[in-house]
Amino acid sequence: MTKFIVRLIFIKCLKAQPICNDEHKNARYNFCLRLADNNLILAQRLAEWCSKGPILEEDLAITNMSLDLFGQAESFYDYAAAVIESNSSADELAFLRSEREYLNTLMVEQPNGDFAFTMMKQMLFSAYTKLLYESLSKSVDRTLAGLSAKALKEAKYHLRHSSEWVIRLGNGTNESKERVQFALNELWLFVDDMFAMDENDEALITIGVIENTKDIKPKWLMFIKQILEEANLQITSNTNSISGGIKGIHTEHLGHLLCEMQYLQRAYPGAKW
Amino acid sequence: MVKEVSDITVQKVWDVLNQIPDPDIPVISIVELGIVRNVAVKDNNVEVIITPSYSGCPAMHVFKEDIITTLTNIGAKKVEISITHSLAWTTDWLSNNVKEKLKNYGIAPPEQNSETEVLFSNKKITCPFCSGTYTKRTSQFGSTPCKALWYCNNCQQPFEYFKCY
Ligand SMILES: [Zn+2]
């Protein structure tokens, strides 16, 4: 029996490694929550496409990506709760927090717009997560590394799919080019917010859990420029940017999204399938 | 009458788990799929360590229920399922035998690995029906997270491809 118990304890430890003090625990909690929130909110947006895709294959593609992101969100929520030894379930974190408690980046909460807008958003965001997960998969936090290695495989598919569409639309008709260029101009406003850092990141960098997110941006920009060149699209000269996602300060769209997503749990607390 | 319950062994657990079909692709078992990573048994208490295939794969919930039911049926007192993420599931774990089963079932098995894929790849997947290679991808995403949609120009049949992961 002892061997069995030892084994169980060993597995429990893998779930939440006690490698750091309380301050670091909170930092890791917030960091995982941010990853989860990004995935959840984008997943919810993509799910809005269900049955509205321009063609059947794209309807399947978009909802499959949504499913991947919901799954990633669930894993990161579970891990966030395990880090601070909280009993909160992924469901509670998703459905019972208010707008100001959400830490997602502003890009993912933006409405879908047309197909070009959704694909541009997906490309800009997946290029970021691909690089982020590549970096996190080397983290000293083995659970975070494992979750990221898995998410990375999925992010690569999402990135390939959306990059191809951006290139196709940019080289398509005048109409498609105009629309995808419009999407780029609009979404560029939210690029800086994706790379925002706070004291949680600083704390995690010092103990080697994450790399400096600042290092990701030049790589991201290089990749994006390459795709945009192939797509014959221009980065807007408008250098305005807005940020605040990391502090829970959002655009008006998040509240509306949560309103719909959380309706059932808010109206019927504790409702189960 | 008291039913004789023999002790559960690790081997027996693996054997019965190997009988549980993947709910989406019933010709292969969850063991063959590589979902079951480890098994521990003590005094008829069983612990099964599994890893998810795709993050959002709805079949995971079915796997868990099937594992509990199956092991309870052979007399397990307690069944605990733990999830590991420390080695991400990969299609590289599928054996040649399993790939053959997929092919015979009409699903093209994974070829090479996804790292090598480029934008607008003109990679050809072999048709599971006629073994022709004059094929094209219809969509990177299909009826389940693990499959893509393809079309064979040789036999003019759409087919599914179990994509690299
Ligand atoms: Zn064929």
Side-chain angles (χ1 to χ4, degrees), chain B residues 127 129-132 152 154-157:
Chain B
C127 170
F129 303 120
C130 73
S131 300
C152 176
N154 290 95
C155 67
Q156 312 212 335
Q157 291 288 322

Side-chain angles (χ1 to χ4, degrees), chain A residues 1-4 7-8 11-12 14-15 57-58 60-62 64-65 67-72 74-75 142-143 145-147 149-151 153-154 156-161 163-165 167-168 223 227 230, chain B residues 38 40-43 45-47 49 51-58 61 78 80 82-86 88-91 114-115 117-121 137-145 149 163-165:
Chain A
M1 194 66 200
T2 327
K3 211 170 156 193
F4 188 59
R7 169 137 203 98
L8 285 182
I11 290 156
K12 294 259 150 60
L14 280 182
K15 280 180 189 160
E57 286 77 8
E58 285 312 308
L60 278 172
I62 296 175
N64 260 296
M65 291 192 283
L67 195 61
D68 287 341
L69 296 171
F70 274 124
Q72 292 169 18
E74 189 180 15
S75 308
R142 283 190 44 213
T143 306
L147 292 173
K150 181 156 204 64
K153 288 169 182 259
E154 290 158 10
K156 282 181 181 170
Y157 270 103
H158 301 179
L159 180 58
R160 204 179 310 135
H161 173 261
S163 301
E164 287 180 359
W165 270 112
I167 294 169
R168 216 176 271 135
F223 174 85
I227 298 292
E230 274 189 68
Chain B
N38 214 343
V41 180
K42 188 72 191 177
D43 296 340
N45 292 312
V46 185
E47 191 198 8
I49 302 169
T51 194
S53 50
Y54 279 74
S55 295
C57 187
H61 298 282
K78 196 169 145 234
E80 176 155 346
S82 315
I83 296 185
T84 175
H85 289 283
S86 60
W89 177 78
T90 165
T91 44
S114 55
E115 307 292 322
E117 291 215 5
V118 291
L119 292 184
F120 303 104
S121 154
R137 192 180 73 198
T138 323
S139 173
Q140 269 182 34
F141 299 89
S143 60
T144 65
L149 301 175
K163 57 192 179 189
C164 295
Y165 186 91

Side-chain angles (χ1 to χ4, degrees), chain A residues 248-260:
Chain A
I249 300 165
H250 293 277
T251 58
E252 66 177 290
H253 307 294
L254 182 65
H256 295 281
L257 180 149
L258 292 180
C259 207
E260 188 179 317

